[in-house]
Amino acid sequence: LVRSAKLHDYDFPTDLLAIARAGSGVNNIPLDRCSEKGIVVFSTPGANANAVKELVICGLMLASRDIIGGAAWAKNLEKTEEADVAKQVEKGKSKFAGCEVAGKKLGVIGLGAIGALVANAANDLHMEVIGYDNYLTIDSAWRLSRKIEKATSLDEIFEKCDYITVHVPSTPETRGMF
């Protein structure tokens, strides 16, 4: 059972029967060599999809509000008895106002297990969501809110969206897509 271990240069024991990847991709596993040796390789797509969705939404909030900058600023406020922290906060808080995500457009490239969850969560935050996926499966389509708009090209995502999130596997076809 592996997560991110790079196995391309690894010498497999002769009695190894299977490799399970805790995650969706298997690009860290030499599939050709495993096939030659009769080693079964499988992954667990979607197993961590909710956790990743939460981190993507967290990143969206962090980026739109400069929360990290604001926290660093607040941490460095003058902390002397004479200092009037309330005045310091009132004077400096506008630097970190940011913008609301409601009404903004989010482009979701890749609408598999993670992308669909992100698209639906953004929709629940009252964002306009535009999705793009050349290989959208029927199961993935069923998971999407009907409010998710379908893009016909990546260019459409780039032209229309305020924020973009990418959820595609690393394959020869996807490398260099931007």
Side-chain angles (χ1 to χ4, degrees), residues 14-99:
T14 56
D15 59 347
L16 181 64
L17 301 175
I19 300 171
R21 163 74 165 76
S24 60
V26 291
N27 56 326
N28 58 325
I29 301 169
L31 297 177
D32 292 345
R33 244 183 347 124
C34 289
S35 181
E36 289 169 8
K37 295 181 178 245
I39 301 168
V40 177
V41 176
F42 56 97
S43 62
T44 57
N48 63 347
N50 192 64
V52 175
K53 172 210 65 177
E54 291 176 359
L55 290 171
V56 170
I57 297 300
C58 178
L60 180 65
M61 295 300 148
L62 290 170
S64 68
R65 298 285 185 158
D66 190 16
I67 293 169
I68 293 173
W73 172 79
K75 201 173 193 179
N76 292 317
L77 287 174
E78 238 181 272
K79 294 186 177 91
T80 64
E81 283 187 39
E82 301 86 40
D84 187 347
V85 174
K87 282 184 183 174
Q88 291 179 64
V89 169
E90 201 57 42
K91 183 179 177 184
K93 69 181 181 182
S94 64
K95 294 181 204 172
F96 307 101
C99 63

